[in-house]
Amino acid sequence: MSQLEEMLAYNQQFVKNQSYRPFEAPSRPTKKMTIVSCMDCRLIELLPKALNVKNGDAIMLKSAGGMVESPYSNTMKSILVSLYELGSEAVYIIGHTDCGMHGLHAHKMIDDIKKRGVADQKFAEVLEQGVDLDQWLNGFQSVEDEVQKSVSIVKNHPLLPEGTPVIGLVIDPKTGEITPV
Ligand SMILES: [Zn+2]
């Protein structure tokens, strides 16, 4: 059975057995909070459990490193949608130790892309779009600094509702311990 077939077979049983019952929730976050965190697979369950966040409690946004890269990135747009259209009232930016983006240099990723056989001509196409890969694919050197940077981008956004708390945290992906930045 392929992975997809396996998932679909499981899903049929999930629905049939009404296993969704414990997850029923309103579509607006009851704790009125938006969480931006890393896509790291160890955080799927650990992060919400460590914060006592359940289905329906919060808006969860994920990206590589949990970074808000620029004031007009997709993540920032999602934050604004959560605040204006979904009833959220606070933003938590949560980085984590041992992150894959920590120490990631664009040149390493460009090498890895080339090793997979992506031709130089494809890189030229990206360049033509005005994308600076060296900047776009770069990770960070300090998770605390990165969280601080994201917090400042959100805090200083001209469209942020006045008085919105924007809080930076770091989670340990092994123990779930949360430290304020
Ligand atoms: Zn990460």
Side-chain angles (χ1 to χ4, degrees), residues 38-40 65 96 99-101:
C38 182
M39 63 188 189
D40 190 294
H96 69 100
C99 182
M101 292 298 276

mmCIF file of all heavy atoms in Angstrom, residues 38-40 65 96 99-101, ligand 1:
data_model
loop_
_atom_site.group_PDB
_atom_site.id
_atom_site.type_symbol
_atom_site.label_atom_id
_atom_site.label_comp_id
_atom_site.label_asym_id
_atom_site.label_seq_id
_atom_site.Cartn_x
_atom_site.Cartn_y
_atom_site.Cartn_z
ATOM 1 N N CYS A 38 8.156 27.236 14.244
ATOM 2 C CA CYS A 38 8.901 26.522 13.207
ATOM 3 C C CYS A 38 8.151 25.267 12.759
ATOM 4 O O CYS A 38 7.389 24.671 13.505
ATOM 5 C CB CYS A 38 10.280 26.132 13.723
ATOM 6 S SG CYS A 38 11.303 25.303 12.497
ATOM 7 N N MET A 39 8.418 24.856 11.522
ATOM 8 C CA MET A 39 7.779 23.665 10.950
ATOM 9 C C MET A 39 8.404 22.361 11.466
ATOM 10 O O MET A 39 7.963 21.276 11.097
ATOM 11 C CB MET A 39 7.891 23.712 9.427
ATOM 12 C CG MET A 39 9.319 23.669 8.925
ATOM 13 S SD MET A 39 9.325 23.970 7.149
ATOM 14 C CE MET A 39 11.047 23.601 6.773
ATOM 15 N N ASP A 40 9.436 22.471 12.318
ATOM 16 C CA ASP A 40 10.132 21.290 12.855
ATOM 17 C C ASP A 40 9.121 20.209 13.277
ATOM 18 O O ASP A 40 8.164 20.489 14.011
ATOM 19 C CB ASP A 40 10.969 21.718 14.066
ATOM 20 C CG ASP A 40 11.914 20.621 14.525
ATOM 21 O OD1 ASP A 40 11.427 19.570 14.990
ATOM 22 O OD2 ASP A 40 13.143 20.819 14.423
ATOM 23 N N GLY A 65 11.961 27.821 10.578
ATOM 24 C CA GLY A 65 12.553 28.690 11.588
ATOM 25 C C GLY A 65 11.541 29.522 12.361
ATOM 26 O O GLY A 65 11.892 30.175 13.332
ATOM 27 N N HIS A 96 12.927 27.860 18.327
ATOM 28 C CA HIS A 96 13.340 26.717 19.153
ATOM 29 C C HIS A 96 14.824 26.446 19.018
ATOM 30 O O HIS A 96 15.442 26.783 18.004
ATOM 31 C CB HIS A 96 12.522 25.457 18.797
ATOM 32 C CG HIS A 96 12.832 24.888 17.443
ATOM 33 N ND1 HIS A 96 13.660 23.803 17.262
ATOM 34 C CD2 HIS A 96 12.434 25.249 16.218
ATOM 35 C CE1 HIS A 96 13.735 23.523 15.970
ATOM 36 N NE2 HIS A 96 13.011 24.387 15.301
ATOM 37 N N CYS A 99 17.440 24.205 15.888
ATOM 38 C CA CYS A 99 16.618 24.429 14.685
ATOM 39 C C CYS A 99 17.437 24.197 13.418
ATOM 40 O O CYS A 99 18.616 24.545 13.361
ATOM 41 C CB CYS A 99 16.084 25.867 14.691
ATOM 42 S SG CYS A 99 14.995 26.233 13.285
ATOM 43 N N GLY A 100 16.804 23.620 12.417
ATOM 44 C CA GLY A 100 17.472 23.360 11.140
ATOM 45 C C GLY A 100 17.924 24.635 10.435
ATOM 46 O O GLY A 100 18.821 24.615 9.588
ATOM 47 N N MET A 101 17.297 25.757 10.771
ATOM 48 C CA MET A 101 17.663 27.031 10.137
ATOM 49 C C MET A 101 18.854 27.682 10.839
ATOM 50 O O MET A 101 19.436 28.623 10.327
ATOM 51 C CB MET A 101 16.477 27.998 10.161
ATOM 52 C CG MET A 101 15.328 27.574 9.275
ATOM 53 S SD MET A 101 15.803 27.488 7.530
ATOM 54 C CE MET A 101 15.589 29.214 7.055
HETATM 55 ZN ZN ZN B 1 13.224 24.810 13.383
#
